[in-house]
Amino acid sequence: EAQVTQNPRYLITVTGKKLTVTCSQNMNHEYMSWYRQDPGLGLRQIYYSMNVEVTDKGDVPEGYKVSRKEKRNFPLILESPSPNQTSLYFCASSDRGPSDGYTFGSGTRLTVV
Amino acid sequence: EDQVTQSPEALRLQEGESSSLNCSYTVSGLRGLFWYRQDPGKGPEFLFTLYSAGEEKEKERLKATLTKKESFLHITAPKPEDSATYLCAGGGNTDKLIFGTGTRLQVFP
């Protein structure tokens, strides 16, 4: 089954404790992206990657890092999480770019206390 | 600046009561207008892509239409299982998707 898999689904952590949210897709898609979703603000892009070793900032990249060492994986790293990063996070992939339409993961609900 | 605005924020319908959701967009060089459905606690699920004004697409009780400034998602004789948040997004020259904040639809039996 074609899918985007995120882990974990839920995470509660403390301020400053580094964490990684993993994302993997099995569709051989070139383009992958991370979004955060907050009430009243909609989906906002954090980082995206057009291919292996090619990443770029989205609209809200502060406090986040990403890497794309393999085509299928695109982890999101929070090196020093803060409470304002409490949010619902989605990984998404598409064949060549967002204009092809996304397949989204099931989401990771992160709480930073 | 590219922008996508959805209305209403929330919509309550009786089962069988048809209605429309609106998506107004200002997206430079629009390449595609997308509709997604999102159930609580889940990722958005792709519904439609519209590429040019006048285009229409249908899937079961849903029909999406596109003009030069707006897109509509028409829901005919909705059922409770159609309850979800519907997201609209525009993709343009920047090759980024600009999402609206969604319309939360509740259909009561």
Side-chain angles (χ1 to χ4, degrees), chain A:
Chain A
E1 181 190 351
Q3 59 185 5
V4 175
T5 304
Q6 290 179 234
N7 281 297
R9 288 295 312 275
Y10 302 92
L11 180 59
I12 301 173
T13 191
V14 296
T15 298
K17 185 177 180 181
K18 181 179 179 179
L19 67 93
T20 299
V21 183
T22 64
C23 174
S24 180
Q25 51 96 1
N26 63 0
M27 295 165 282
N28 202 37
H29 283 169
E30 291 185 357
Y31 190 99
M32 297 185 74
S33 184
W34 277 102
Y35 284 85
R36 60 178 289 173
Q37 187 175 40
D38 301 288
L41 296 177
L43 283 160
R44 294 179 293 166
Q45 192 177 46
I46 303 170
Y47 268 94
Y48 64 95
S49 169
M50 300 186 75
N51 215 321
V52 176
E53 302 291 0
V54 181
T55 63
D56 208 347
K57 297 177 181 178
D59 297 315
V60 288
E62 294 77 21
Y64 304 95
K65 285 176 60 176
V66 292
S67 67
R68 187 93 181 271
K69 294 186 170 64
E70 305 165 283
K71 198 171 188 177
R72 63 183 292 126
N73 296 323
F74 190 44
L76 179 69
I77 303 156
L78 285 72
E79 298 226 325
S80 184
S82 62
N84 65 11
Q85 292 178 299
T86 293
S87 187
L88 180 58
Y89 291 87
F90 289 103
C91 180
S93 74
S94 66
D95 193 7
R96 289 160 299 175
S99 296
D100 290 336
Y102 280 128
T103 300
F104 281 88
S106 298
T108 295
R109 185 167 292 283
L110 172 65
T111 302
V112 183
V113 298

Side-chain angles (χ1 to χ4, degrees), chain B residues 42-87:
Chain B
K42 296 190 176 181
E45 176 187 342
F46 171 77
L47 290 173
F48 304 109
T49 308
L50 301 166
Y51 293 103
S52 58
E55 189 175 1
E56 298 183 353
K57 288 194 177 172
E58 288 188 65
K59 179 180 180 179
E60 296 180 1
R61 295 176 293 282
L62 301 177
K63 182 169 81 171
T65 62
L66 182 65
T67 72
K68 288 187 177 180
K69 294 183 179 179
E70 295 175 303
S71 179
F72 295 93
L73 185 65
H74 307 279
I75 303 176
T76 302
K79 298 182 177 182
E81 53 261 43
D82 294 322
S83 298
T85 295
Y86 291 85
L87 300 172

Side-chain angles (χ1 to χ4, degrees), chain B residues 9-64:
Chain B
E9 286 188 18
L11 182 62
R12 293 162 58 99
L13 298 174
Q14 202 72 33
E15 184 172 2
E17 179 187 1
S18 301
S19 188
S20 296
L21 281 55
N22 176 265
C23 171
S24 299
Y25 66 90
T26 308
V27 176
S28 300
L30 184 79
R31 295 185 185 182
L33 190 292
F34 299 82
W35 283 97
Y36 289 84
R37 169 188 170 131
Q38 186 175 22
D39 293 299
K42 296 190 176 181
E45 176 187 342
F46 171 77
L47 290 173
F48 304 109
T49 308
L50 301 166
Y51 293 103
S52 58
E55 189 175 1
E56 298 183 353
K57 288 194 177 172
E58 288 188 65
K59 179 180 180 179
E60 296 180 1
R61 295 176 293 282
L62 301 177
K63 182 169 81 171

